[in-house]
Amino acid sequence: MKLKELAERLECRLEGDPQTAIHGVAGIEQAGPGEVTFLANRRYAPNLKTTLASAVFVEDGVEVEREPDAAALAKLRTSNPYLSFAKAIELFYEAPKYAPGIHATAMIAKTARIGAGTHVGPYCFVDEDVEIGRNAVLHSFVTIYRGAKIGADFFSHAHAVVREFCRIGDRVMLQNGVVIGGDGFGFARQKDGAWHKMLQSGPTVLEDDVEVQSNSCIDRATIGETRIGRGAKIDDLVLVGHGSRVGANTLLCGQVGLAGSTKVGNDCILAGQVGSGGHITIGDRTLLTAQSGIPHDLAGDKHYSGSPCVEHKQWLKNAAALNRTPDLQKRIRELEVEIEKLKSR
């Protein structure tokens, strides 16, 4: 592809030779001639001096400096370099395609309804009264329990499971090993101290355009439902507890854990290993940094850090004070010695 075509297709303003041939994309440190890279984080700006890429997605107003002996670097000006780079990947990488049909080893119940254009791979199991929309892909060893309802353009990688009566919207993707609607962690204490398992009767609901990545679990509810809002993205090894609600376009990053009945608002970001107590509410557009612990409700439109979490600016002050603790302890000991000397006079 010529650089001119790439710029036109991605609606970028080109500064450079429009006839430059581009054959792929790469990170700024790995890119070579004929590849396009991007600059979204300014900390990587020094790499623009030496990168071997032929072009870079970069914001308007960003100066691109080069070493004197470096080859020319074309600029693709865009308001969102990371998004433009993401779309460029789609132009150069061709994902595997799956032909419609049902593999001979798949087990499909007689009452299941499978939409046109769907691919059901080896050793999949689709139970009674399941509905799956058009153009779905069940890769291999995928299990869909009884009564589940799934929309169009569903894609399930190997070993994913959708439990009984769960509901999934259109364009949902489940990566390997995902469990949708597994039993929530509900037990009632008996007089003898033993635990009585509570029936988990409420389904898990995934709205349109949700993606759940590998080995994550979205538990079903004891009563009611567990719901993941439209466009939410769930990273690897995440647990969403029973009866929780996650808002639209919210990101739950790796190893996040939400205890039961947690409500997370729209457009939130919970970074890696954030954990919440149960029955709390997190407001819209909340940002929580990695390893934050959430013991209580949080107002939206704020940035929190720490465990227990506080507003980020306060956490920075707390962290700075904690780092000075050894010096303060030393100073206190010195003052104590001085006081004892004064007393002995």
Side-chain angles (χ1 to χ4, degrees):
M1 185 182 300
K2 300 298 184 183
L3 199 51
K4 178 182 178 181
E5 181 186 355
L6 180 63
E8 290 174 348
R9 294 179 69 170
L10 297 180
E11 300 180 340
C12 298
R13 181 166 57 85
L14 174 61
E15 297 176 5
D17 182 1
Q19 297 305 310
T20 300
I22 301 295
H23 59 75
V25 295
I28 197 167
E29 296 172 322
Q30 299 81 29
E35 294 181 316
V36 62
T37 188
F38 71 102
L39 178 69
N41 188 330
R42 297 296 179 90
R43 66 183 291 187
Y44 292 101
N47 295 91
L48 292 177
K49 294 181 178 181
T50 56
T51 182
L52 299 177
S54 294
V56 58
F57 293 107
V58 65
E59 291 182 75
D60 285 323
V62 174
E63 295 294 330
V64 178
E65 299 180 5
R66 297 287 283 165
E67 294 291 349
D69 58 344
L73 179 64
K75 277 76 73 178
L76 292 161
R77 299 288 185 179
T78 170
S79 61
N80 191 334
Y82 194 57
L83 178 60
S84 295
F85 183 75
K87 292 181 177 180
I89 295 172
E90 298 171 10
L91 298 178
F92 290 102
Y93 176 73
E94 185 175 352
K97 291 181 170 50
Y98 299 90
I102 298 174
H103 194 273
T105 60
M107 299 291 291
I108 311 295
K110 291 182 179 180
T111 56
R113 290 186 284 178
I114 309 295
T118 291
H119 170 95
V120 181
Y123 300 102
C124 291
F125 173 66
V126 180
D127 207 343
E128 302 286 348
D129 301 318
V130 167
E131 295 180 13
I132 299 176
R134 66 185 184 281
N135 301 326
V137 174
L138 280 61
H139 186 278
S140 57
F141 295 94
V142 173
T143 299
I144 311 295
Y145 278 48
R146 179 168 299 184
K149 312 296 183 188
I150 298 173
D153 301 305
F154 174 68
F155 197 117
S156 179
H157 287 273
H159 296 283
V161 175
V162 178
R163 287 279 299 270
E164 64 273 17
F165 309 116
C166 289
R167 304 192 301 277
I168 293 178
D170 297 335
R171 299 174 302 280
V172 168
M173 178 175 286
L174 306 181
Q175 299 287 348
N176 304 83
V178 166
V179 179
I180 302 299
D183 281 6
F185 196 63
F187 300 89
R189 194 90 182 203
Q190 301 181 131
K191 288 183 178 180
D192 62 359
W195 295 100
H196 176 80
K197 180 176 175 59
M198 299 178 69
L199 185 65
Q200 304 296 294
S201 64
T204 294
V205 179
L206 272 55
E207 296 182 4
D208 296 345
D209 301 303
V210 168
E211 179 167 349
V212 184
Q213 298 196 326
S214 298
N215 297 315
S216 290
C217 300
I218 317 296
D219 287 352
R220 67 195 302 107
T222 308
I223 54 174
E225 65 180 26
T226 303
R227 180 173 289 265
I228 308 297
R230 181 173 187 147
K233 311 301 180 188
I234 313 291
D235 197 4
D236 298 341
L237 299 171
V238 169
L239 168 64
V240 177
H242 58 178
S244 294
R245 299 178 69 91
V246 174
N249 297 316
T250 284
L251 298 182
L252 304 183
C253 301
Q255 298 184 350
V256 162
L258 302 182
S261 300
T262 299
K263 296 179 181 178
V264 182
N266 301 326
D267 301 302
C268 296
I269 298 177
L270 277 62
Q273 296 186 334
V274 168
S276 79
H279 304 276
I280 64 172
T281 298
I282 300 168
D284 295 342
R285 295 171 298 279
T286 297
L287 172 61
L288 284 142
T289 54
Q291 296 189 327
S292 295
I294 313 169
H296 49 66
D297 292 352
L298 297 179
D301 295 297
K302 292 186 177 181
H303 181 180
Y304 299 92
S305 298
S307 183
C309 65
V310 294
E311 289 192 43
H312 185 68
K313 289 182 179 179
Q314 182 61 49
W315 177 81
L316 291 174
K317 295 177 183 178
N318 295 350
L322 183 62
N323 288 335
R324 292 197 299 271
T325 299
D327 293 334
L328 293 172
Q329 288 179 317
K330 180 181 178 182
R331 181 61 179 150
I332 289 171
R333 286 194 294 268
E334 291 172 348
L335 291 171
E336 288 174 340
V337 171
E338 293 295 326
I339 291 171
E340 290 301 320
K341 288 180 180 179
L342 292 171
K343 287 181 177 179
S344 63
R345 289 180 181 178

